[in-house]
Amino acid sequence: MLKTERLLLRKWQESDAESLFEYAKNPKIGPIAGWPPHKSVEESLHVIRNVLNGAESYAICEKENGKAIGAIELILNGHTDMTDRDDECELGYWLGQPFWGRGYVPEAVREILRHGFEDIGMRTIWCGYYDGNQKSKRLQEKVGFVYHHTCENVPVPLLNETRVGHTNRMTKEQWEKINEMQF
């Protein structure tokens, strides 16, 4: 479990299925990230068991109640197409719409970056967004990710389409400089 000032990042539990469905059914959440809105609590349970079960996959929860309100994950080698190195990974995240605008995602991302670089020894963390996802673009810039490249015709298999994908990265050295500047 990881903790920030206001959040807990903890492993997903099957008992989170109703909460996951509550936020993941919103058509403003999944499609912009490349997955369809959830259609049932059963589908959300399946996602907890089969998608949100990675070694570094966490539910974003408010400390006060522990309810899952979003997801954040460092997607390790073998489960991402952004790298084939064991000391690199991909960052993915989303947050339920009622919690937008509170600064929760930057807070969670800063902690997962710390965890990735300090605790599990990552050298580079990759992060991407699809064309039109301005919220993710701004968040990635805000926390210090640096533009790397753009790909045309990126397959989005869960939605049976292709998109333009933008890829950013942060190295451990960049992360260390950002943290030096904050203190």
Side-chain angles (χ1 to χ4, degrees), residues 131-146:
D131 233 17
N133 190 343
Q134 292 302 306
K135 285 182 180 6
S136 268
K137 179 181 191 287
R138 285 193 304 270
L139 175 275
Q140 291 172 37
E141 291 168 349
K142 180 179 185 175
V143 299
F145 278 89
V146 176

Side-chain angles (χ1 to χ4, degrees), residues 40-177:
S40 67
V41 173
E42 292 73 26
E43 179 182 1
S44 293
L45 179 59
H46 176 81
V47 168
I48 289 170
R49 289 176 176 161
N50 299 290
V51 179
L52 299 174
N53 62 347
E56 295 297 331
S57 180
Y58 300 91
I60 300 173
C61 306
E62 291 180 304
K63 269 187 178 175
E64 61 207 34
N65 61 26
K67 181 180 177 185
I69 59 171
I72 192 163
E73 180 174 10
L74 293 176
I75 307 164
L76 304 177
N77 184 22
H79 302 279
T80 174
D81 60 2
M82 287 195 178
T83 184
D84 59 2
R85 296 177 51 106
D86 290 336
D87 61 352
E88 297 184 359
C89 63
E90 175 187 355
L91 169 65
Y93 53 83
W94 64 266
L95 188 70
Q97 188 175 4
F99 305 94
W100 292 359
R102 299 186 190 184
Y104 283 176
V105 175
E107 187 174 324
V109 166
R110 287 185 183 104
E111 175 57 16
I112 203 99
L113 289 172
R114 183 211 60 75
H115 175 63
F117 290 125
E118 288 186 356
D119 299 339
I120 60 175
M122 291 294 132
R123 299 294 307 156
T124 301
I125 298 177
W126 297 87
C127 197
Y129 63 92
Y130 294 119
D131 233 17
N133 190 343
Q134 292 302 306
K135 285 182 180 6
S136 268
K137 179 181 191 287
R138 285 193 304 270
L139 175 275
Q140 291 172 37
E141 291 168 349
K142 180 179 185 175
V143 299
F145 278 89
V146 176
Y147 174 80
H148 190 268
H149 67 274
T150 295
C151 289
E152 305 286 329
N153 300 315
V154 175
V156 185
L158 296 176
L159 297 175
N160 296 314
E161 60 188 42
T162 60
R163 296 186 184 171
V164 174
H166 305 280
T167 303
N168 298 316
R169 74 176 186 169
M170 183 183 298
T171 64
K172 185 172 185 179
E173 292 76 21
Q174 290 166 327
W175 176 79
E176 287 169 343
K177 285 181 185 171

